Short mmCIF file of all heavy atoms in Angstrom, two decimals:
data_model
loop_
_atom_site.label_atom_id
_atom_site.label_comp_id
_atom_site.label_asym_id
_atom_site.label_seq_id
_atom_site.Cartn_x
_atom_site.Cartn_y
_atom_site.Cartn_z
N MET A 45 0.00 6.00 -2.44
CA MET A 45 1.09 5.10 -2.81
C MET A 45 1.30 4.06 -1.72
O MET A 45 1.20 4.35 -0.54
CB MET A 45 2.39 5.89 -3.00
CG MET A 45 2.42 6.68 -4.30
SD MET A 45 2.34 5.62 -5.75
CE MET A 45 3.50 6.40 -6.82
N SER A 46 1.61 2.86 -2.17
CA SER A 46 1.93 1.80 -1.23
C SER A 46 3.39 1.38 -1.41
O SER A 46 3.90 1.39 -2.53
CB SER A 46 1.04 0.58 -1.47
OG SER A 46 -0.28 0.87 -1.15
N ASN A 47 4.01 1.04 -0.30
CA ASN A 47 5.38 0.54 -0.34
C ASN A 47 5.40 -0.84 0.30
O ASN A 47 4.95 -1.00 1.43
CB ASN A 47 6.31 1.47 0.44
CG ASN A 47 6.56 2.75 -0.30
OD1 ASN A 47 7.35 2.79 -1.23
ND2 ASN A 47 5.85 3.80 0.08
N VAL A 48 5.91 -1.81 -0.45
CA VAL A 48 6.01 -3.17 0.07
C VAL A 48 7.38 -3.71 -0.29
O VAL A 48 7.88 -3.47 -1.39
CB VAL A 48 4.92 -4.08 -0.55
CG1 VAL A 48 5.08 -5.52 -0.08
CG2 VAL A 48 3.53 -3.57 -0.21
N THR A 49 7.98 -4.43 0.65
CA THR A 49 9.25 -5.08 0.35
C THR A 49 9.02 -6.57 0.21
O THR A 49 8.50 -7.22 1.12
CB THR A 49 10.29 -4.80 1.45
OG1 THR A 49 10.50 -3.39 1.53
CG2 THR A 49 11.62 -5.47 1.12
N LEU A 50 9.36 -7.09 -0.97
CA LEU A 50 9.17 -8.51 -1.26
C LEU A 50 10.49 -9.25 -1.14
O LEU A 50 11.54 -8.71 -1.48
CB LEU A 50 8.66 -8.67 -2.70
CG LEU A 50 7.37 -7.95 -3.07
CD1 LEU A 50 7.16 -8.03 -4.59
CD2 LEU A 50 6.18 -8.57 -2.36
N ASN A 51 10.43 -10.48 -0.67
CA ASN A 51 11.60 -11.35 -0.69
C ASN A 51 11.55 -12.13 -1.99
O ASN A 51 10.55 -12.80 -2.28
CB ASN A 51 11.58 -12.31 0.51
CG ASN A 51 11.75 -11.57 1.81
OD1 ASN A 51 12.73 -10.86 2.00
ND2 ASN A 51 10.76 -11.69 2.69
N VAL A 52 12.61 -12.04 -2.77
CA VAL A 52 12.64 -12.66 -4.09
C VAL A 52 13.88 -13.55 -4.22
O VAL A 52 15.01 -13.10 -4.03
CB VAL A 52 12.64 -11.58 -5.20
CG1 VAL A 52 12.72 -12.23 -6.58
CG2 VAL A 52 11.38 -10.72 -5.10
N GLU A 53 13.62 -14.81 -4.55
CA GLU A 53 14.71 -15.78 -4.72
C GLU A 53 15.12 -15.85 -6.19
O GLU A 53 14.29 -15.73 -7.08
CB GLU A 53 14.25 -17.17 -4.27
CG GLU A 53 13.93 -17.28 -2.79
CD GLU A 53 15.16 -17.30 -1.91
OE1 GLU A 53 16.27 -17.45 -2.43
OE2 GLU A 53 14.98 -17.14 -0.68
N GLY A 54 16.41 -16.09 -6.42
CA GLY A 54 16.89 -16.37 -7.76
C GLY A 54 17.64 -15.23 -8.42
O GLY A 54 18.20 -15.41 -9.49
N MET A 55 17.67 -14.08 -7.77
CA MET A 55 18.40 -12.95 -8.36
C MET A 55 19.88 -13.09 -7.99
O MET A 55 20.22 -13.29 -6.83
CB MET A 55 17.87 -11.62 -7.82
CG MET A 55 16.40 -11.39 -8.09
SD MET A 55 15.85 -9.76 -7.51
CE MET A 55 16.12 -9.89 -5.75
N SER A 56 20.75 -13.00 -9.00
CA SER A 56 22.16 -13.24 -8.71
C SER A 56 23.12 -12.20 -9.28
O SER A 56 24.29 -12.20 -8.91
CB SER A 56 22.56 -14.63 -9.21
OG SER A 56 22.33 -14.72 -10.60
N CYS A 57 22.66 -11.36 -10.17
CA CYS A 57 23.61 -10.42 -10.77
C CYS A 57 22.88 -9.17 -11.26
O CYS A 57 21.66 -9.06 -11.13
CB CYS A 57 24.36 -11.08 -11.93
SG CYS A 57 23.30 -11.45 -13.34
N GLY A 58 23.66 -8.27 -11.83
CA GLY A 58 23.08 -7.02 -12.30
C GLY A 58 22.03 -7.21 -13.38
O GLY A 58 21.09 -6.43 -13.50
N HIS A 59 22.19 -8.29 -14.15
CA HIS A 59 21.19 -8.57 -15.18
C HIS A 59 19.84 -8.89 -14.54
O HIS A 59 18.79 -8.44 -15.00
CB HIS A 59 21.65 -9.75 -16.03
CG HIS A 59 20.69 -10.10 -17.12
ND1 HIS A 59 20.65 -9.44 -18.32
CD2 HIS A 59 19.70 -11.03 -17.17
CE1 HIS A 59 19.68 -9.95 -19.06
NE2 HIS A 59 19.09 -10.92 -18.39
N CYS A 60 19.87 -9.66 -13.46
CA CYS A 60 18.64 -9.99 -12.75
C CYS A 60 18.00 -8.72 -12.19
O CYS A 60 16.78 -8.56 -12.24
CB CYS A 60 18.94 -10.94 -11.60
SG CYS A 60 19.70 -12.49 -12.08
N VAL A 61 18.84 -7.86 -11.64
CA VAL A 61 18.33 -6.61 -11.07
C VAL A 61 17.58 -5.81 -12.12
O VAL A 61 16.45 -5.36 -11.90
CB VAL A 61 19.49 -5.77 -10.48
CG1 VAL A 61 19.00 -4.38 -10.07
CG2 VAL A 61 20.11 -6.48 -9.28
N SER A 62 18.20 -5.66 -13.30
CA SER A 62 17.53 -4.85 -14.31
C SER A 62 16.31 -5.56 -14.87
O SER A 62 15.31 -4.91 -15.20
CB SER A 62 18.49 -4.43 -15.42
OG SER A 62 19.15 -5.52 -15.98
N ALA A 63 16.34 -6.91 -14.95
CA ALA A 63 15.17 -7.65 -15.43
C ALA A 63 13.99 -7.44 -14.49
O ALA A 63 12.85 -7.21 -14.94
CB ALA A 63 15.50 -9.14 -15.56
N VAL A 64 14.25 -7.50 -13.19
CA VAL A 64 13.18 -7.33 -12.21
C VAL A 64 12.66 -5.89 -12.23
O VAL A 64 11.45 -5.64 -12.26
CB VAL A 64 13.66 -7.72 -10.79
CG1 VAL A 64 12.67 -7.26 -9.73
CG2 VAL A 64 13.87 -9.23 -10.71
N GLU A 65 13.59 -4.94 -12.25
CA GLU A 65 13.16 -3.54 -12.22
C GLU A 65 12.37 -3.18 -13.47
O GLU A 65 11.38 -2.47 -13.41
CB GLU A 65 14.38 -2.62 -12.05
CG GLU A 65 14.98 -2.75 -10.65
CD GLU A 65 16.21 -1.87 -10.39
OE1 GLU A 65 16.80 -1.34 -11.35
OE2 GLU A 65 16.56 -1.73 -9.21
N LYS A 66 12.80 -3.73 -14.61
CA LYS A 66 12.10 -3.47 -15.86
C LYS A 66 10.70 -4.11 -15.85
O LYS A 66 9.73 -3.50 -16.31
CB LYS A 66 12.93 -4.04 -17.01
CG LYS A 66 12.69 -3.38 -18.34
CD LYS A 66 13.71 -3.88 -19.36
CE LYS A 66 13.30 -3.51 -20.77
NZ LYS A 66 14.19 -4.13 -21.77
N ALA A 67 10.62 -5.33 -15.32
CA ALA A 67 9.33 -6.02 -15.26
C ALA A 67 8.34 -5.25 -14.40
O ALA A 67 7.17 -5.10 -14.74
CB ALA A 67 9.51 -7.44 -14.74
N VAL A 68 8.84 -4.75 -13.27
CA VAL A 68 7.96 -4.02 -12.36
C VAL A 68 7.55 -2.67 -12.96
O VAL A 68 6.38 -2.28 -12.89
CB VAL A 68 8.63 -3.84 -10.98
CG1 VAL A 68 7.79 -2.94 -10.07
CG2 VAL A 68 8.84 -5.20 -10.31
N SER A 69 8.49 -2.00 -13.59
CA SER A 69 8.11 -0.72 -14.20
C SER A 69 7.16 -0.95 -15.37
O SER A 69 6.32 -0.11 -15.69
CB SER A 69 9.34 0.08 -14.63
OG SER A 69 10.00 -0.52 -15.71
N GLY A 70 7.25 -2.15 -15.99
CA GLY A 70 6.35 -2.48 -17.09
C GLY A 70 4.89 -2.57 -16.70
O GLY A 70 4.01 -2.42 -17.54
N VAL A 71 4.63 -2.84 -15.42
CA VAL A 71 3.24 -2.86 -14.96
C VAL A 71 2.86 -1.56 -14.24
O VAL A 71 1.82 -1.48 -13.58
CB VAL A 71 2.92 -4.10 -14.08
CG1 VAL A 71 3.06 -5.38 -14.90
CG2 VAL A 71 3.79 -4.15 -12.84
N GLY A 72 3.74 -0.58 -14.32
CA GLY A 72 3.40 0.74 -13.79
C GLY A 72 3.77 0.99 -12.35
O GLY A 72 3.23 1.89 -11.71
N ALA A 73 4.73 0.21 -11.84
CA ALA A 73 5.19 0.41 -10.48
C ALA A 73 6.70 0.67 -10.50
O ALA A 73 7.32 0.60 -11.55
CB ALA A 73 4.87 -0.81 -9.62
N ALA A 74 7.26 0.97 -9.34
CA ALA A 74 8.69 1.21 -9.26
C ALA A 74 9.32 0.17 -8.34
O ALA A 74 8.73 -0.21 -7.32
CB ALA A 74 8.97 2.61 -8.73
N ALA A 75 10.51 -0.29 -8.70
CA ALA A 75 11.18 -1.31 -7.89
C ALA A 75 12.61 -0.90 -7.59
O ALA A 75 13.28 -0.31 -8.43
CB ALA A 75 11.19 -2.65 -8.62
N LYS A 76 13.04 -1.24 -6.38
CA LYS A 76 14.43 -1.05 -6.03
C LYS A 76 14.92 -2.38 -5.47
O LYS A 76 14.42 -2.87 -4.47
CB LYS A 76 14.56 0.06 -4.98
CG LYS A 76 15.97 0.61 -4.86
CD LYS A 76 15.95 1.96 -4.14
CE LYS A 76 17.33 2.60 -4.12
NZ LYS A 76 18.28 1.85 -3.27
N VAL A 77 15.89 -2.97 -6.17
CA VAL A 77 16.38 -4.30 -5.80
C VAL A 77 17.58 -4.18 -4.89
O VAL A 77 18.50 -3.41 -5.15
CB VAL A 77 16.76 -5.10 -7.06
CG1 VAL A 77 17.37 -6.45 -6.67
CG2 VAL A 77 15.55 -5.30 -7.96
N ASP A 78 17.57 -4.96 -3.81
CA ASP A 78 18.76 -5.13 -2.98
C ASP A 78 19.24 -6.56 -3.18
O ASP A 78 18.64 -7.51 -2.67
CB ASP A 78 18.42 -4.87 -1.51
CG ASP A 78 19.67 -4.91 -0.62
OD1 ASP A 78 20.60 -5.69 -0.94
OD2 ASP A 78 19.70 -4.18 0.38
N LEU A 79 20.29 -6.69 -3.97
CA LEU A 79 20.74 -8.02 -4.38
C LEU A 79 21.23 -8.85 -3.19
O LEU A 79 20.90 -10.03 -3.08
CB LEU A 79 21.86 -7.85 -5.41
CG LEU A 79 22.17 -9.01 -6.35
CD1 LEU A 79 20.92 -9.53 -7.04
CD2 LEU A 79 23.19 -8.56 -7.39
N SER A 80 21.99 -8.25 -2.30
CA SER A 80 22.54 -9.04 -1.19
C SER A 80 21.47 -9.43 -0.19
O SER A 80 21.52 -10.50 0.40
CB SER A 80 23.67 -8.27 -0.50
OG SER A 80 23.25 -6.99 -0.13
N ALA A 81 20.46 -8.59 -0.03
CA ALA A 81 19.37 -8.92 0.90
C ALA A 81 18.29 -9.76 0.23
O ALA A 81 17.38 -10.26 0.90
CB ALA A 81 18.75 -7.64 1.46
N LYS A 82 18.38 -9.91 -1.11
CA LYS A 82 17.36 -10.64 -1.88
C LYS A 82 15.98 -10.04 -1.68
O LYS A 82 14.99 -10.76 -1.47
CB LYS A 82 17.34 -12.13 -1.51
CG LYS A 82 18.63 -12.84 -1.86
CD LYS A 82 18.52 -14.31 -1.48
CE LYS A 82 19.82 -15.06 -1.77
NZ LYS A 82 19.77 -16.44 -1.27
N THR A 83 15.92 -8.73 -1.69
CA THR A 83 14.64 -8.07 -1.54
C THR A 83 14.39 -7.11 -2.71
O THR A 83 15.33 -6.63 -3.34
CB THR A 83 14.56 -7.26 -0.22
OG1 THR A 83 15.61 -6.30 -0.20
CG2 THR A 83 14.66 -8.16 0.99
N VAL A 84 13.12 -6.91 -2.95
CA VAL A 84 12.70 -5.92 -3.95
C VAL A 84 11.70 -5.00 -3.27
O VAL A 84 10.63 -5.43 -2.84
CB VAL A 84 12.03 -6.59 -5.18
CG1 VAL A 84 11.58 -5.54 -6.18
CG2 VAL A 84 13.00 -7.57 -5.84
N ALA A 85 12.10 -3.74 -3.12
CA ALA A 85 11.19 -2.75 -2.55
C ALA A 85 10.36 -2.17 -3.70
O ALA A 85 10.91 -1.62 -4.65
CB ALA A 85 11.98 -1.65 -1.86
N VAL A 86 9.06 -2.36 -3.62
CA VAL A 86 8.19 -1.85 -4.67
C VAL A 86 7.33 -0.71 -4.14
O VAL A 86 6.89 -0.72 -2.99
CB VAL A 86 7.30 -2.95 -5.29
CG1 VAL A 86 8.15 -4.00 -6.00
CG2 VAL A 86 6.40 -3.61 -4.27
N GLU A 87 7.15 0.27 -5.00
CA GLU A 87 6.28 1.39 -4.69
C GLU A 87 5.25 1.47 -5.81
O GLU A 87 5.62 1.48 -6.99
CB GLU A 87 7.09 2.69 -4.62
CG GLU A 87 6.23 3.88 -4.17
CD GLU A 87 7.07 5.16 -4.09
OE1 GLU A 87 7.32 5.77 -5.14
OE2 GLU A 87 7.46 5.53 -2.97
N TYR A 88 3.99 1.49 -5.43
CA TYR A 88 2.95 1.47 -6.46
C TYR A 88 1.70 2.19 -5.99
O TYR A 88 1.47 2.37 -4.79
CB TYR A 88 2.63 0.03 -6.85
CG TYR A 88 2.06 -0.82 -5.73
CD1 TYR A 88 0.69 -1.06 -5.63
CD2 TYR A 88 2.89 -1.37 -4.75
CE1 TYR A 88 0.16 -1.82 -4.60
CE2 TYR A 88 2.37 -2.12 -3.72
CZ TYR A 88 1.01 -2.35 -3.65
OH TYR A 88 0.49 -3.10 -2.62
N ASP A 89 0.91 2.57 -6.98
CA ASP A 89 -0.39 3.19 -6.71
C ASP A 89 -1.44 2.09 -6.75
O ASP A 89 -1.69 1.50 -7.81
CB ASP A 89 -0.66 4.25 -7.79
CG ASP A 89 -1.98 4.99 -7.56
OD1 ASP A 89 -2.83 4.48 -6.79
OD2 ASP A 89 -2.14 6.06 -8.15
N GLU A 90 -2.01 1.81 -5.60
CA GLU A 90 -2.95 0.68 -5.52
C GLU A 90 -4.23 0.89 -6.34
O GLU A 90 -4.98 -0.05 -6.58
CB GLU A 90 -3.28 0.34 -4.06
CG GLU A 90 -3.95 1.45 -3.28
CD GLU A 90 -2.96 2.42 -2.63
OE1 GLU A 90 -1.80 2.53 -3.07
OE2 GLU A 90 -3.36 3.08 -1.66
N ASN A 91 -4.45 2.12 -6.79
CA ASN A 91 -5.59 2.37 -7.67
C ASN A 91 -5.27 1.99 -9.12
O ASN A 91 -6.17 1.91 -9.95
CB ASN A 91 -5.99 3.84 -7.63
CG ASN A 91 -6.53 4.24 -6.26
OD1 ASN A 91 -7.33 3.51 -5.67
ND2 ASN A 91 -6.07 5.35 -5.74
N LYS A 92 -4.00 1.77 -9.39
CA LYS A 92 -3.60 1.48 -10.78
C LYS A 92 -3.10 0.06 -10.98
O LYS A 92 -3.27 -0.51 -12.04
CB LYS A 92 -2.50 2.46 -11.22
CG LYS A 92 -3.00 3.88 -11.36
CD LYS A 92 -1.88 4.82 -11.82
CE LYS A 92 -2.40 6.25 -11.97
NZ LYS A 92 -1.29 7.20 -12.02
N VAL A 93 -2.48 -0.50 -9.96
CA VAL A 93 -1.92 -1.84 -10.11
C VAL A 93 -1.98 -2.55 -8.77
O VAL A 93 -1.85 -1.92 -7.72
CB VAL A 93 -0.46 -1.78 -10.66
CG1 VAL A 93 0.46 -1.04 -9.72
CG2 VAL A 93 0.07 -3.16 -10.99
N SER A 94 -2.24 -3.86 -8.81
CA SER A 94 -2.30 -4.61 -7.55
C SER A 94 -0.96 -5.28 -7.28
O SER A 94 -0.16 -5.50 -8.20
CB SER A 94 -3.40 -5.68 -7.62
OG SER A 94 -3.00 -6.72 -8.48
N LEU A 95 -0.76 -5.62 -6.03
CA LEU A 95 0.49 -6.28 -5.65
C LEU A 95 0.63 -7.62 -6.37
O LEU A 95 1.73 -8.03 -6.73
CB LEU A 95 0.54 -6.46 -4.13
CG LEU A 95 1.87 -6.97 -3.55
CD1 LEU A 95 3.03 -6.07 -3.93
CD2 LEU A 95 1.76 -7.10 -2.04
N ASN A 96 -0.51 -8.30 -6.58
CA ASN A 96 -0.46 -9.59 -7.28
C ASN A 96 0.09 -9.45 -8.69
O ASN A 96 0.86 -10.30 -9.15
CB ASN A 96 -1.85 -10.22 -7.34
CG ASN A 96 -2.06 -11.19 -6.19
OD1 ASN A 96 -1.11 -11.62 -5.55
ND2 ASN A 96 -3.31 -11.53 -5.95
N VAL A 97 -0.31 -8.39 -9.37
CA VAL A 97 0.18 -8.17 -10.74
C VAL A 97 1.69 -7.93 -10.71
O VAL A 97 2.43 -8.42 -11.57
CB VAL A 97 -0.57 -6.98 -11.38
CG1 VAL A 97 0.11 -6.53 -12.67
CG2 VAL A 97 -2.02 -7.38 -11.66
N ILE A 98 2.16 -7.20 -9.72
CA ILE A 98 3.60 -6.95 -9.59
C ILE A 98 4.35 -8.25 -9.33
O ILE A 98 5.37 -8.53 -9.95
CB ILE A 98 3.86 -5.93 -8.46
CG1 ILE A 98 3.23 -4.57 -8.82
CG2 ILE A 98 5.35 -5.79 -8.18
CD1 ILE A 98 3.19 -3.59 -7.67
N LYS A 99 3.80 -9.06 -8.42
CA LYS A 99 4.43 -10.36 -8.12
C LYS A 99 4.49 -11.23 -9.37
O LYS A 99 5.50 -11.89 -9.64
CB LYS A 99 3.65 -11.09 -7.02
CG LYS A 99 3.83 -10.50 -5.64
CD LYS A 99 3.00 -11.29 -4.63
CE LYS A 99 3.17 -10.76 -3.22
NZ LYS A 99 2.26 -11.44 -2.27
N GLU A 100 3.40 -11.25 -10.12
CA GLU A 100 3.37 -12.06 -11.34
C GLU A 100 4.39 -11.57 -12.35
O GLU A 100 5.03 -12.37 -13.03
CB GLU A 100 1.96 -12.05 -11.96
CG GLU A 100 1.02 -13.03 -11.28
CD GLU A 100 -0.43 -12.83 -11.68
OE1 GLU A 100 -0.69 -12.17 -12.71
OE2 GLU A 100 -1.31 -13.33 -10.96
N ALA A 101 4.56 -10.26 -12.45
CA ALA A 101 5.54 -9.71 -13.40
C ALA A 101 6.95 -10.17 -13.04
O ALA A 101 7.76 -10.49 -13.91
CB ALA A 101 5.46 -8.18 -13.40
N ILE A 102 7.24 -10.22 -11.74
CA ILE A 102 8.56 -10.69 -11.29
C ILE A 102 8.70 -12.19 -11.56
O ILE A 102 9.73 -12.65 -12.06
CB ILE A 102 8.76 -10.38 -9.79
CG1 ILE A 102 8.78 -8.86 -9.57
CG2 ILE A 102 10.04 -11.03 -9.27
CD1 ILE A 102 8.76 -8.44 -8.10
N GLU A 103 7.66 -12.94 -11.25
CA GLU A 103 7.72 -14.39 -11.45
C GLU A 103 7.81 -14.75 -12.92
O GLU A 103 8.44 -15.74 -13.29
CB GLU A 103 6.53 -15.07 -10.76
CG GLU A 103 6.72 -15.02 -9.24
CD GLU A 103 5.57 -15.63 -8.45
OE1 GLU A 103 4.46 -15.74 -9.00
OE2 GLU A 103 5.81 -15.95 -7.27
N ASP A 104 7.18 -13.95 -13.77
CA ASP A 104 7.27 -14.17 -15.23
C ASP A 104 8.71 -14.08 -15.73
O ASP A 104 9.03 -14.63 -16.79
CB ASP A 104 6.41 -13.15 -15.98
CG ASP A 104 4.93 -13.50 -15.96
OD1 ASP A 104 4.60 -14.63 -15.51
OD2 ASP A 104 4.11 -12.68 -16.37
N GLN A 105 9.55 -13.38 -14.98
CA GLN A 105 10.95 -13.28 -15.37
C GLN A 105 11.77 -14.46 -14.87
O GLN A 105 12.97 -14.57 -15.12
CB GLN A 105 11.57 -11.97 -14.82
CG GLN A 105 10.93 -10.71 -15.36
CD GLN A 105 11.07 -10.61 -16.88
OE1 GLN A 105 12.16 -10.78 -17.40
NE2 GLN A 105 9.96 -10.35 -17.56
N GLY A 106 11.14 -15.36 -14.13
CA GLY A 106 11.81 -16.56 -13.67
C GLY A 106 12.30 -16.52 -12.24
O GLY A 106 13.08 -17.36 -11.81
N TYR A 107 11.82 -15.52 -11.48
CA TYR A 107 12.23 -15.42 -10.07
C TYR A 107 11.06 -15.79 -9.17
O TYR A 107 9.91 -15.71 -9.58
CB TYR A 107 12.73 -14.00 -9.76
CG TYR A 107 13.80 -13.57 -10.74
CD1 TYR A 107 13.51 -12.65 -11.74
CD2 TYR A 107 15.07 -14.12 -10.68
CE1 TYR A 107 14.47 -12.29 -12.66
CE2 TYR A 107 16.04 -13.77 -11.60
CZ TYR A 107 15.74 -12.85 -12.59
OH TYR A 107 16.68 -12.51 -13.52
N ASP A 108 11.38 -16.21 -7.96
CA ASP A 108 10.34 -16.63 -7.04
C ASP A 108 10.11 -15.59 -5.96
O ASP A 108 11.03 -15.25 -5.22
CB ASP A 108 10.73 -17.95 -6.37
CG ASP A 108 10.62 -19.13 -7.32
OD1 ASP A 108 9.70 -19.12 -8.16
OD2 ASP A 108 11.46 -20.04 -7.22
N VAL A 109 8.88 -15.13 -5.87
CA VAL A 109 8.50 -14.24 -4.78
C VAL A 109 8.08 -15.14 -3.62
O VAL A 109 7.15 -15.94 -3.76
CB VAL A 109 7.35 -13.31 -5.19
CG1 VAL A 109 6.98 -12.39 -4.02
CG2 VAL A 109 7.73 -12.48 -6.40
N VAL A 110 8.80 -15.04 -2.51
CA VAL A 110 8.52 -15.96 -1.39
C VAL A 110 7.81 -15.25 -0.25
O VAL A 110 7.68 -14.03 -0.25
CB VAL A 110 9.82 -16.63 -0.87
CG1 VAL A 110 10.38 -17.53 -1.93
CG2 VAL A 110 10.84 -15.61 -0.44
CU1 LIG B 307 21.48 -12.39 -13.02
#
């Protein structure tokens, strides 16, 4: 398992949190959003999903991974 914390711009409320967490779980990873820190801690199995796919899933929801 890999753990990476991403800085994500554009998240502002609980709806954003669930959108991001749902998007990440949709590609087979787990996400924990810290709204005030603007971070998303992701945990994933690098044999199953790449970090790029996770980033794209978040960006597809309209947020910027910086
Ligand atoms: Cu929101």
Side-chain angles (χ1 to χ4, degrees):
M45 285 298 221
S46 292
N47 287 281
V48 177
T49 299
L50 303 170
N51 293 303
V52 178
E53 296 286 348
M55 301 183 297
S56 59
C57 68
H59 180 82
C60 301
V61 171
S62 54
V64 168
E65 290 180 346
K66 205 172 166 187
V68 173
S69 70
V71 295
K76 197 163 185 292
V77 176
D78 185 328
L79 201 51
S80 52
K82 296 180 182 174
T83 58
V84 179
V86 295
E87 186 179 79
Y88 62 100
D89 182 342
E90 61 273 22
N91 294 316
K92 291 181 180 163
V93 62
S94 72
L95 188 57
N96 266 344
V97 168
I98 296 168
K99 287 179 179 174
E100 279 169 17
I102 295 171
E103 288 178 339
D104 282 350
Q105 297 299 311
Y107 307 106
D108 286 325
V109 180
V110 294

